[in-house]
Amino acid sequence: MLSRVREDIAAARHRDPAARSGVEVALLYPGLHAVWGHRVWHALWQRGLRFVARMGSQITRWVTGIEIHPGARIGRRFFIDHGTGVVIGETAEIGDDVMLYHGVTLGGRTRDHGKRHPTLEDGVSVGAGAKILGPVRVGARSVVGANAVVTKDAPADSILVGVPAKPRRRTDSDDSRALLTAPDYVI
């Protein structure tokens, strides 16, 4: 468990140029606190303690401003930068090395039971305010631009921008951090 905590702190320091130390990240980053809380609540959810898990996730939401349903499945080195307003639904699946900015929604579009939230494969980055809705799959290493609305599957190595978002192929020279701040990819 301690190795996972160290891994999370290192991932945050790697992705956030404003991070000055591991202690600062561990104590002051609500996105990290939300992920750590989610691990506890998800374990309880998996053991059938659904009410306690939901109650715990709501406490984490009140403290951090980030709502992660305890049923969501989250990979390693997941980082939420700034975090306020992030919502992650019950059947969402998030791969390893994924990064979300504030105001992102991984939401459903139906009240049916079953898979109704998105799947983000490994290495996906999602810009501020983006909405990814329904049981869509965003392929590995894709970048979703700020305020984009994704309602259809996207292949690996895509750049998704617009309302509704339309994917275009990423090139080897495209840098995820630069793409998330470039005016061409913001609505």
Side-chain angles (χ1 to χ4, degrees):
M1 185 168 112
L2 188 57
S3 67
R4 291 285 297 269
V5 168
R6 286 188 184 128
E7 185 178 66
D8 291 334
I9 293 169
R13 291 193 69 198
H14 173 73
R15 290 188 181 99
D16 186 357
R20 288 181 287 279
S21 73
V23 171
E24 176 186 44
V25 169
L27 295 177
L28 302 177
Y29 277 53
L32 202 52
H33 301 153
V35 171
W36 290 342
H38 175 266
R39 287 195 188 133
V40 172
W41 313 131
H42 182 71
L44 294 173
W45 183 267
Q46 295 296 101
R47 287 170 179 76
L49 299 169
R50 304 276 166 103
F51 180 81
V52 175
R54 286 285 288 150
M55 186 172 59
S57 73
Q58 291 303 299
I59 291 168
T60 300
R61 187 192 74 169
W62 294 332
V63 172
T64 66
I66 299 166
E67 182 172 350
I68 306 174
H69 192 285
R73 293 191 299 184
I74 296 176
R76 297 175 76 149
R77 297 173 301 278
F78 174 53
F79 179 57
I80 303 171
D81 196 6
H82 296 288
T84 301
V86 168
V87 176
I88 300 172
E90 177 184 10
T91 62
E93 297 174 55
I94 299 172
D96 296 337
D97 303 305
V98 171
M99 180 172 170
L100 306 181
Y101 283 92
H102 59 279
V104 169
T105 298
L106 304 181
R109 295 191 317 166
T110 177
R111 294 184 344 166
D112 296 339
H113 292 286
K115 178 74 170 151
R116 60 190 184 281
H117 297 96
T119 297
L120 306 182
E121 294 182 356
D122 296 346
V124 170
S125 296
V126 183
K131 310 301 179 217
I132 306 174
L133 304 173
V136 300
R137 180 173 294 276
V138 177
R141 300 169 307 282
S142 291
V143 176
V144 178
N147 294 316
V149 178
V150 179
T151 58
K152 295 184 178 171
D153 290 349
D157 299 306
S158 294
I159 297 173
L160 297 119
V161 296
V163 180
K166 297 199 174 19
R168 82 156 172 86
R169 188 88 177 137
R170 242 179 108 164
T171 64
D172 291 337
S173 63
D174 289 331
D175 172 47
S176 293
R177 186 176 293 164
L179 286 171
L180 289 169
T181 59
D184 294 348
Y185 301 113
V186 178
I187 298 169

